[in-house]
Every structure is written in C-alpha cells, then in structure tokens.
Amino acid sequence: DGGITQSPKYLFRKEGQNVTLSCEQNLNHDAMYWYRQDPGQGLRLIYYSQIVNDFQKGDIAEGYSVSREKKESFPLTVTSAQKNPTAFYLCASSRGGVLETQYFGPGTRLLVL
Amino acid sequence: DAKTTQPTSMDCAEGRAANLPCNHSTISGNEYVYWYRQIHSQGPQYIIHGLKNNETNEMASLIITEDRKSSTLILPHATLRDTAVYYCIARIYNQGGKLIFGQGTELSVKP
C-alpha cells in the first residue's frame, strides 16, 4: 500500500526540548516538503528537498532543521529556538520537477506543555 | 505570487453539483491552477489541476475562463463526505514549486 506516513499523530514538547517528526514515503518520489499549518490558516513552507542529500529553506525555516539521508525519509526537527511550535505539521512528496503534484501525509499535531 | 480569492463558505445539497469559484486575476501565463481539499485535522488531498484547458478526472471538473482570471471547481454529485475546506492555488515555479494555501472555501454538504 503506497503512501506517505507521518508519526506520531500527536506530539508533546516541553519547553527547551528538541523534537523530531518523522515522514516516510514509499512512492519513490524524489522531492519532499514540510509545511506548517496554524489554526484557521493556510500552509506555509518550512523546508524542501528535491534530491537526496540536498535541501533548501522555505519561508519559515528559523527554528527548524531537516536531513535527507535517504530518498524515502525526510525528518523534521523542531528545535528549542522555535518559540511558537504549536501547530499542525504536514509532510508532502512529489516525483520531482517543480510542478509535479504534491501528495500529503496525515500530519502531526505538535503541542507545547 | 498570484493571489487567489475564494468565498469563505458555501452550502450544497447532497446529490447536487457543487460549484466552487476562484478568482486569480493576477495569474501569469505559466502558473497552473491547483485544487486541494482538507477535511478537518487531515492532510490536504489533491483534486485536480489545469493551465488553460478544462480538465476532468474521477473526482471533479475544472473550468478555467479563457482569460484565465477565474476558475470553477465542479463536484458533479456532492456527498456528505465532500464536506471539507477547498483550496484554490496558483502554482509557482520557485521554492520547489511550493503550494501557497489561502483561506479556502468551507463547503458544507447537507442532507
């Protein structure tokens, strides 16, 4: 069953703690993306990667870090430098090429304790 | 980035066609129109996209005006499961072809 998986579904972060959100895809897609969604808002791009071992900052990269060591995986770390991390985080992937259709995972909701 | 404008909310009777409008008067010639929908607390679902010509797939039809300043997404026979927020996006080339989601239209399909 092909698709994009994100885990966990809910994640709680304590003040000053780094947390890592997982995103895995078995679609053989080259490109992967991380977006953030705040309540009642649209999505904003955090980071994207068009090929393994390469990634670029999006519009709101401050306080986040990523890695792309494997084609199927694109984990996102929310660092303590991100002062307002509470949001719904969405991972997407596409076949590569800037206008290929992006397909989304189910999302991870991050809450700060 | 071309801005899209959509009505905040719409209602549709179950079994009827749902016609969701979108204005994109500043769209440039190489920007595609994409539609996604998002059911509460789930990831967005791709519906359809187009450049100039009308498009149809198993989910919906997309009608783009000749001047490309507006488009309409048509769900031919809306069901209760089509209740969602629908986003119209003018897709750009930069930043890996990022998707810029606006406020969208909240479609409520009623029995």
Side-chain angles (χ1 to χ4, degrees):
Chain A
D1 193 17
I4 303 170
T5 57
Q6 292 186 242
S7 61
K9 187 173 178 66
Y10 295 95
L11 187 57
F12 298 92
R13 193 191 93 164
K14 295 180 181 178
E15 294 287 343
Q17 187 181 45
N18 292 352
V19 291
T20 297
L21 284 61
S22 168
C23 178
E24 303 276 332
Q25 53 96 3
N26 61 4
L27 301 169
N28 200 34
H29 284 173
D30 287 312
M32 297 186 75
Y33 305 79
W34 274 106
Y35 291 88
R36 168 183 171 140
Q37 186 175 34
D38 292 286
Q41 304 293 317
L43 278 64
R44 292 182 290 167
L45 182 67
I46 305 172
Y47 268 98
Y48 65 101
S49 167
Q50 293 182 288
I51 197 168
V52 175
N53 293 321
D54 188 42
F55 50 84
Q56 285 79 39
K57 294 181 179 179
D59 296 320
I60 55 165
E62 186 174 351
Y64 299 98
S65 66
V66 293
S67 62
R68 187 81 188 281
E69 297 176 1
K70 298 187 295 183
K71 187 176 185 178
E72 59 269 24
S73 179
F74 191 39
L76 173 74
T77 297
V78 184
T79 74
S80 57
Q82 171 51 242
K83 296 308 178 188
N84 185 22
T86 296
F88 190 43
Y89 290 86
L90 289 154
C91 177
S93 71
S94 71
R95 288 192 290 192
V98 293
L99 287 182
E100 291 287 344
T101 299
Q102 293 180 24
Y103 297 93
F104 285 84
T108 292
R109 191 166 298 279
L110 176 62
L111 299 167
V112 177
L113 297 177
Chain B
D1 303 348
K3 179 178 171 59
T4 61
T5 305
Q6 300 176 251
T8 302
S9 63
M10 293 180 62
D11 290 340
C12 177
E14 188 177 19
R16 296 293 191 116
N19 297 289
L20 291 87
C22 179
N23 288 323
H24 31 78
S25 58
T26 61
I27 196 169
S28 61
N30 59 359
E31 287 181 305
Y32 281 73
V33 178
Y34 273 73
W35 284 83
Y36 282 78
R37 71 181 182 184
Q38 186 175 27
I39 296 169
H40 183 62
S41 294
Q42 297 183 23
Q45 179 187 22
Y46 165 75
I47 302 173
I48 199 167
H49 73 279
L51 183 63
K52 295 180 184 178
N53 301 321
N54 298 337
E55 302 288 344
T56 295
N57 63 19
E58 63 279 3
M59 288 184 69
S61 294
L62 175 60
I63 309 298
I64 303 174
T65 58
E66 194 168 340
D67 62 9
R68 298 207 336 118
K69 292 185 176 181
S70 66
S71 60
T72 301
L73 178 75
I74 301 172
L75 307 177
H77 305 287
T79 70
L80 299 179
R81 287 179 294 182
D82 292 322
T83 293
V85 178
Y86 287 77
Y87 296 97
C88 170
I89 301 160
R91 187 93 181 271
I92 58 175
Y93 285 108
N94 66 358
Q95 290 192 300
K98 70 178 179 181
L99 296 167
I100 301 174
F101 284 67
Q103 296 297 313
T105 296
E106 187 165 4
L107 175 69
S108 296
V109 180
K110 300 182 183 299

